[in-house]
Amino acid sequence: MKSIRLMGNTAVAVAMAVTPALAQVASLGSPEGQVSIVAWPGYIERGETMAEFDWVTKFEEATGCQVVIKTANTSDEMVALMNEGGFDLVTASGDASLRLVAGKRVQPVNIDLIPSWTNVDERLKNAPWHTVDGVHYGVPYQWGPNVLMYNTEVFGDTPPTSWSVVFEEQTLPDGSSNVGRVQAYDGPIHIADAAQYLMAHRPELGITSPYELNADQYAAALDLLRAQRKLVGRYWHDAFIQMDDFKNEGVVASGSWPFQVGLLKAEGFPVSSVIPEEGSTGWADTTMMHVDAPHPTCSYLWMEHTLSSNLQADLSVWFGANPVVLSACTDGSGMQTAEGCTANGLDDFEKIKFWTTPVSQCESQGECVPYYRWVSDYIGVIGGR
Amino acid sequence: MSRSAILPNRGLADRLSALFWRHPRVLLLLLITPPLLWLGVVYLGSLGALLLQSFYSIDEFSGVVVEEFTLKTYGELFRAANMDIILRTLTMSASVTLASAVIGFPVAYFAARFARGRWKAVFYLGIMLPLWSSYLVKVYAWKLILAKEGIITWAADSVGLGFLLDAVLALPGVGGNSLSTSFIGTWIVFVYVWLPYMILPMQASLERVPVSMLEASSDLGATLGQTFRTVILPLAMPGVIAGSIFTFSLTMGDYIIPQIVGTSARFIGQAVYQLQGTAGNIPLAAAFAVVPILIMLVYLSLAKRGGAFDAL
Amino acid sequence: MTNAVTFQNVSRHYGKVKAVDAVDLSIAEGSFFAMLGPSGSGKTTCLRLISGFEKPTAGEIRIFGRDVSDTPPNRRNVNTVFQDYALFPHMNVRDNVAYGPMVAGVGKAERYIKAEEMLALVKLDGYGDRKPGQLSGGQRQRVALARALVNEPRVLLLDEPLGALDLKLREAMQDELKALQKRLGITFVFVTHDQHEALSMADQLAVFNEGKIAQIGSPSEVYDRPATPFVADFVGSSNVLPPSLTAQLGGAAAWASLRPEAIRLVAKGKGKMNGTVAALRYLGAGSRVSVMVGETEIAALVPAGDAAPKAGAEVGITFETSALHVMAES
């Protein structure tokens, strides 16, 4: 019941955009010997998957802080784990970060204690998914676009330039229809992709943010998704299942992450990706600190460590994402290169609308359709309603 | 004749044994209290909490759970999209159960009637073996088997039956782009995964049907079909019902298989998972979770009225 | 007289086990035929060969002259009362009894009338609505009987039908079965391991031993003139005398039987031979006295009222010479 009530409280807080002012760490003590982190799979590597991808061992040697990792597969799992407590840090995406702030599960971060903060990409320093009323609730970790992945054999010389290839029935360059050969993301957040498409193609709807939709805009987005349902055999949910679908199910185009594109390319499978002309949605993750973090000094040391350019470079190569420290692309401290960053979408920052949780009291138009409606309605759309 | 008629007391164990012998209820109480507490507090308690939540509602504007008694959330179940989910799940559970029973019966019958000694061991191994491997591995394996470029398509094409597969996939409602992205595919995987849960109870109940019962039927003039309908089936019914409770409720609660194999259209389990997790709509999730319980209750009472438990 | 059932050199082997081994047998129509023998002697297998639940590995079985090699149980006009009754637990008594007509396609009203008639025949009128589980052992036995008779079989097979009943009920049922058989005139084939039951009920009886028939005959033939030591021991609990002893008593040098009730105990030296009383068993109507004559144990029945000797006493044994029955070697 406690956790139920907590979720309720969280929802209230999100809805009312309450900003709790909490104490932040004023100075660092001596390292506590451990730091425990809730992270996305593949986000914190200690050379166990592949020896060259290791950004933990040296940190442990240098600080004496043992890194304990708890992986979580969804934003909701992350929120739940943080509600349980006992962890120091979490790599929260934009659709979880504000919930954590509003639910008072994370504490403000004293950026004065993080020397490398100055190196953080200016575009991210005050990003709204971790900065509330000018208070920083975390340190940016990585970000990436949701790209349009396509099969290069099917598209040949004419790569897709618009998301229409997954939204509207059409004949693909190989002469066959796209029915049954495209996919879409199996999460309500995909409604934002539809809304972004409508921003470009139906300006009369007046959509300014794909996460802030009034009733009419929302209805139009759902209509677009209903048409998409007829094209989609199965929606994708798991990165590896999507890769499998490109290989074995004859899927030739879909919204995706650079992660899948990179892995499929590495396997020699003929895919490539673009950020279409309408722009795209994306994710930006933040390292946030639990309000009752048992190891604050190690936590700060880790946050500082995450901003080192070699970690940022290696992580961006490993995950197909973009570093939050721009020098990581060029200074040769890690495996990343300028070309690699461009391929991962570094220059498309402005085109990307980062994931954030839709709330009813929205900035742009006063009243928007809240996230829980997105969830139930998207269930209906996928169910053929 | 110096031996005593009463053996000496050897300590605590003897005193306890004596206590339990004099007061058998003390032992019973000791044995049954922990499981009763577990059942009563943890199990029924959480069920009660669930039920309670389903009578709350979510505020349309703020998305906050309103802790006031209302039937509004149950009303929401009757929205078209939600009814779809319920009916879809119900149809799937029923057809999976039916198929499991039809496929499982001959296997269970063979095992109960004819398999002896080593063959019995082979049978149990064969039935249980799939249960030993990871559920996820099995489901992913099936995804590959059923894929558009998977082994079934390949096999069908190479023996010239590709048109048959296409015809099946062209069926409205249950077909799709490939077996792996169709309801038929989901159904196949469900049947595969839950089949052992149908076979084992059926086999157990068939084993309890004395051979003389079947001989009596035949002796009195019944054909094999008549014996099956009037004797074997009614006597095996408790096992079939027990098995169907497994397959029915397991299918109804599963949220993994339809996520990996199928059209992505939601089943109750997925809806509950998504509504309570991502959406924070605990009341609707709870109301959805109550649906399988109600369906099972209706199912059991129908089975009882139909005389399924008469032979118990 | 027609034979209801004939076996010609019938065998039923399970691998190396010869459950029934080269049996020849004829059962006359209208007779009450008992198959008697210890467990594992092949009597039940013979019954199951008649009903069709077993198929012979060799030989030929005829029922009313017709070879039934290719006739399955449900096409044989033969019905069985099973040892465990095999009543269908999910049907009430009426439906159990009406089962035969039901599978034969007889309408509900008609078959229920038949079932009630049968229930009346076995004195269970009014029990139609009960479930078998609500009946006593004796009542279940009657239902099984009614169910087997409803199809008006030409041969009724009974597999140890009274085995599960207590003594009093068993005796009452023996009389009833016998009366019923007389009334219906159907051939009854009755399997039992109880020699008293076989002797008291059967017109003819076959004694089975190790898959073979040791003797066939009327009860008195089998009882008075056992063909083999096995029959003498099993049927009459007779004393079986080895050839040496028979010769010593004035008979031929062959196995012989001597019934305990034919023996009188007299003072030592006054009888045909002497022995030592080894044990006494009080039977109510008399006492069974074991006397050791050399290595051979001889049982004698002393009627109540006569003075029984004490254990350890030396006694003489005497009997009418005609009571000594010399058997075929076996």
Side-chain angles (χ1 to χ4, degrees):
Chain A
M1 288 302 270
K2 193 180 166 202
S3 68
I4 288 167
R5 181 114 351 123
L6 261 174
M7 279 190 212
N9 291 343
T10 311
V12 181
V14 168
M16 303 169 84
V18 167
T19 11
L22 290 160
Q24 61 184 24
V25 175
S27 64
L28 295 186
S30 53
E32 297 88 350
Q34 200 192 48
V35 57
S36 62
I37 310 173
V38 177
W40 292 104
Y43 246 18
I44 299 178
E45 290 285 315
R46 55 164 78 244
E48 282 170 350
T49 317
M50 284 171 86
E52 61 264 45
F53 292 99
D54 178 1
W55 43 91
V56 173
T57 313
K58 281 191 181 142
F59 169 77
E60 289 178 340
E61 284 165 5
T63 63
C65 299
Q66 284 295 315
V67 178
V68 178
I69 303 158
K70 169 77 185 167
T71 58
N73 285 305
T74 64
S75 289
D76 303 302
E77 238 178 282
M78 287 189 174
V79 174
L81 287 170
M82 290 302 275
N83 283 339
E84 276 174 31
F87 298 98
D88 293 301
L89 299 169
V90 60
T91 60
S93 294
D95 54 339
S97 56
L98 287 182
R99 279 200 268 166
L100 291 168
V101 173
K104 304 184 189 180
R105 303 327 295 166
V106 292
Q107 56 174 288
V109 170
N110 185 348
I111 55 172
D112 297 337
L113 298 177
I114 302 171
S116 298
W117 176 265
T118 48
N119 301 336
V120 171
D121 190 338
E122 286 301 327
R123 302 175 296 188
L124 291 164
K125 271 186 177 160
N126 295 308
W129 50 87
H130 62 76
T131 310
V132 178
D133 291 348
V135 179
H136 296 294
Y137 282 90
V139 176
Y141 191 53
Q142 290 265 295
W143 62 273
N146 296 321
V147 296
L148 174 60
M149 174 158 71
Y150 63 95
N151 184 310
T152 52
E153 280 176 5
V154 170
F155 284 86
D157 302 334
T158 51
T161 55
S162 164
W163 286 107
S164 73
V165 62
V166 295
F167 280 120
E168 285 168 32
E169 186 173 347
Q170 56 192 266
T171 305
L172 298 179
D174 70 347
S176 302
S177 165
N178 63 345
V179 175
R181 301 168 76 201
V182 297
Q183 276 190 338
Y185 185 58
D186 187 5
I189 207 75
H190 184 56
I191 293 174
D193 290 297
Q196 196 182 25
Y197 182 76
L198 293 176
M199 273 174 80
H201 293 273
R202 289 189 50 198
E204 73 278 10
L205 287 169
I207 300 174
T208 53
S209 158
Y211 302 99
E212 299 179 358
L213 305 174
N214 66 26
D216 291 340
Q217 297 160 347
Y218 183 73
L222 288 187
D223 282 340
L224 183 62
L225 293 168
R226 284 184 191 109
Q228 185 189 43
R229 166 78 263 200
K230 297 182 176 66
L231 311 178
V232 173
R234 172 168 51 225
Y235 290 73
W236 77 273
H237 187 93
D238 176 300
F240 289 91
I241 294 188
Q242 184 184 39
M243 286 159 56
D244 188 60
D245 286 341
F246 266 75
K247 286 187 277 188
N248 293 316
E249 285 291 348
V251 174
V252 299
S254 174
S256 185
W257 297 335
F259 181 67
Q260 287 99 296
V261 181
L263 278 175
L264 280 174
K265 273 184 176 169
E267 289 178 27
F269 197 78
V271 292
S272 187
S273 66
V274 295
I275 293 178
E277 62 200 15
E278 295 91 354
S280 86
T281 57
W283 39 269
D285 294 347
T286 308
T287 307
M288 301 181 113
M289 186 169 164
H290 195 277
V291 67
D292 300 318
H295 313 103
T297 302
C298 277
S299 300
Y300 268 88
L301 290 175
W302 175 260
M303 284 193 279
E304 165 64 20
H305 174 64
T306 62
L307 296 179
S308 54
S309 76
N310 61 336
L311 181 152
Q312 285 287 324
D314 290 355
L315 172 60
S316 68
V317 169
W318 172 247
F319 208 75
N322 287 302
V324 297
V325 174
L326 289 174
S327 60
C329 293
T330 49
D331 65 6
S333 63
M335 295 176 223
Q336 192 54 283
T337 61
E339 294 75 32
C341 282
T342 306
N344 287 353
L346 185 74
D347 306 328
D348 301 307
F349 188 86
E350 299 307 327
K351 285 189 182 175
I352 296 170
K353 303 287 184 188
F354 288 101
W355 279 1
T356 153
T357 307
V359 293
S360 51
Q361 290 179 335
C362 52
E363 239 170 71
S364 62
Q365 38 194 358
E367 191 171 312
C368 295
V369 179
Y371 188 57
Y372 83 90
R373 286 270 313 278
W374 286 41
V375 175
S376 52
D377 289 334
Y378 196 55
I379 289 174
V381 168
I382 292 182
R385 285 279 168 186
Chain B
M1 279 313 198
S2 62
R3 288 179 58 210
S4 164
I6 294 168
L7 299 174
N9 197 324
R10 287 167 306 179
L12 185 64
D14 278 346
R15 280 206 296 280
L16 273 179
S17 300
L19 173 71
F20 294 150
W21 176 76
R22 285 198 305 272
H23 307 285
R25 274 159 198 275
V26 174
L27 180 61
L28 187 68
L29 206 69
L30 274 177
L31 285 176
I32 209 157
T33 306
L36 264 188
L37 277 180
W38 172 263
L39 203 71
V41 178
V42 179
Y43 184 77
L44 290 180
S46 54
L47 204 65
L50 179 82
L51 209 63
L52 187 68
Q53 286 293 324
S54 68
F55 288 109
Y56 294 161
S57 65
I58 198 157
D59 184 275
E60 285 284 343
F61 300 103
S62 63
V64 184
V65 175
V66 182
E67 295 185 357
E68 280 168 28
F69 178 87
T70 173
L71 289 173
K72 186 172 136 242
T73 308
Y74 279 103
E76 269 195 58
L77 287 181
F78 291 97
R79 283 180 40 207
N82 294 338
M83 273 319 276
D84 280 355
I85 293 174
I86 294 170
L87 289 177
R88 184 181 299 132
T89 311
L90 199 59
T91 312
M92 182 60 81
S93 306
S95 55
V96 165
T97 301
L98 197 69
S100 301
V102 169
I103 298 170
F105 198 92
V107 181
Y109 189 77
F110 168 81
R113 256 307 146 259
F114 303 108
R116 290 284 171 269
R118 180 175 306 187
W119 282 108
K120 197 113 185 165
V122 168
F123 161 80
Y124 276 117
L125 208 66
I127 299 300
M128 305 290 277
L129 204 59
L131 296 180
W132 297 349
S133 66
S134 157
Y135 165 84
L136 275 177
V137 168
K138 286 183 285 185
V139 178
Y140 279 114
W142 270 103
K143 178 182 184 296
L144 287 179
I145 293 170
L146 299 173
K148 193 180 188 69
E149 285 148 40
I151 187 162
I152 291 191
T153 314
W154 174 81
D157 283 343
S158 36
V159 296
L161 289 175
F163 71 94
L164 207 63
L165 188 63
D166 290 341
V168 169
L169 288 175
L171 290 174
V174 297
N177 200 39
S178 74
L179 280 177
S180 150
T181 60
S182 66
F183 274 108
I184 298 177
T186 318
W187 177 78
I188 291 173
V189 180
F190 267 131
V191 171
Y192 169 81
V193 170
W194 303 141
L195 189 59
Y197 296 93
M198 177 62 98
I199 291 180
L200 292 175
M202 275 205 299
Q203 188 247 359
S205 76
L206 282 168
E207 227 159 42
R208 283 199 298 270
V209 178
V211 185
S212 65
M213 220 70 89
L214 313 186
E215 289 177 346
S217 169
S218 161
D219 187 73
L220 292 164
T223 61
L224 290 177
Q226 286 173 320
T227 303
F228 177 78
R229 277 200 312 280
T230 58
V231 180
I232 300 177
L233 202 56
L235 290 179
M237 232 356 144
V240 178
I241 296 290
S244 69
I245 290 169
F246 283 127
T247 54
F248 204 88
S249 54
L250 285 170
T251 308
M252 215 151 34
D254 191 88
Y255 63 96
I256 305 282
I257 291 173
Q259 186 178 302
I260 297 172
V261 178
T263 65
S264 296
R266 296 294 190 271
F267 286 80
I268 289 177
Q270 290 170 290
V272 171
Y273 180 76
Q274 205 174 355
L275 286 169
Q276 62 85 25
T278 338
N281 194 344
I282 301 275
L284 188 54
F288 257 118
V290 169
V291 172
I293 300 173
L294 288 180
I295 291 175
M296 284 317 289
L297 286 177
V298 170
Y299 176 64
L300 287 180
S301 62
L302 282 180
K304 186 170 179 343
R305 194 172 301 174
F309 305 114
D310 289 2
L312 277 181
Chain C
M1 202 186 229
T2 337
N3 281 327
V5 179
T6 49
F7 276 37
Q8 255 173 40
N9 200 26
V10 169
S11 293
R12 179 70 179 95
H13 295 176
Y14 303 95
K16 284 185 181 155
V17 180
K18 298 173 176 178
V20 171
D21 192 26
V23 163
D24 287 302
L25 175 72
S26 350
I27 299 172
E29 183 181 3
S31 67
F32 198 121
F33 191 92
M35 293 179 170
L36 176 66
S39 59
S41 62
K43 57 189 192 304
T44 297
T45 308
C46 270
L47 197 78
R48 294 169 60 79
L49 283 163
I50 302 173
S51 58
F53 303 136
E54 300 282 351
K55 279 187 271 184
T57 35
E60 191 185 76
I61 298 169
R62 289 176 177 274
I63 297 177
F64 287 95
R66 292 267 303 276
D67 180 4
V68 292
S69 310
D70 296 324
T71 313
N74 59 327
R75 305 316 307 156
R76 299 185 186 195
N77 201 357
V78 165
N79 288 121
T80 307
V81 176
F82 289 84
Q83 186 171 11
D84 62 355
Y85 313 140
L87 298 179
F88 305 128
H90 56 297
M91 300 179 191
N92 64 23
V93 166
R94 183 180 301 108
D95 284 321
N96 260 285
V97 176
Y99 188 81
M102 195 263 283
V103 294
V106 176
K108 197 168 209 163
E110 196 182 332
R111 67 177 189 251
Y112 278 176
I113 291 172
K114 270 190 132 169
E116 289 302 339
E117 277 173 21
M118 286 300 136
L119 285 172
L121 186 71
V122 297
K123 300 174 189 153
L124 276 181
D125 336 45
Y127 282 79
D129 291 323
R130 306 233 187 142
K131 284 282 177 77
Q134 299 167 307
L135 301 180
S136 71
Q139 289 168 332
R140 272 185 248 181
Q141 210 276 332
R142 288 159 192 263
V143 176
L145 193 60
R147 188 180 67 173
L149 288 170
V150 75
N151 277 357
E152 296 168 17
R154 298 198 65 183
V155 180
L156 185 73
L157 308 175
L158 303 106
D159 186 5
E160 306 246 10
L162 308 179
L165 305 181
D166 61 53
L167 183 65
K168 236 185 145 75
L169 197 54
R170 190 156 70 219
E171 283 172 350
M173 277 310 292
Q174 285 173 1
D175 293 343
E176 266 186 55
L177 272 180
K178 187 72 189 155
L180 194 64
Q181 192 262 338
K182 282 234 165 64
R183 214 168 104 203
L184 299 171
I186 301 175
T187 310
F188 275 34
V189 182
F190 188 98
V191 160
T192 180
H193 64 268
D194 181 335
Q195 60 272 39
H196 301 297
E197 201 166 281
L199 292 171
S200 65
M201 297 173 75
D203 303 327
Q204 287 277 304
L205 74 105
V207 184
F208 280 78
N209 186 30
E210 295 178 343
K212 290 180 183 294
I213 293 179
Q215 188 173 7
I216 291 192
S218 69
S220 63
E221 277 167 4
V222 172
Y223 189 77
D224 293 335
R225 289 190 294 284
T228 70
F230 170 79
V231 176
D233 179 49
F234 189 77
V235 177
S237 305
S238 268
N239 296 300
V240 176
L241 308 183
S244 57
L245 197 57
T246 315
Q248 202 182 314
L249 292 170
W255 289 91
S257 75
L258 182 60
R259 293 207 313 272
E261 64 269 29
I263 295 173
R264 278 180 298 119
L265 295 181
V266 293
K268 186 184 177 188
K270 294 275 173 73
K272 292 183 190 293
M273 53 189 171
N274 294 325
T276 312
V277 174
L280 271 156
R281 189 140 49 104
Y282 181 64
L283 298 175
S287 297
R288 193 180 166 92
V289 183
S290 284
V291 181
M292 293 305 295
V293 178
E295 293 292 295
T296 312
E297 183 185 343
I298 306 266
L301 208 60
V302 178
D306 292 12
K310 294 218 167 4
E314 304 267 318
V315 292
I317 286 175
T318 189
F319 50 86
E320 300 294 323
T321 312
S322 61
L324 193 67
H325 168 66
V326 176
M327 299 178 287
E329 191 86 19
S330 177

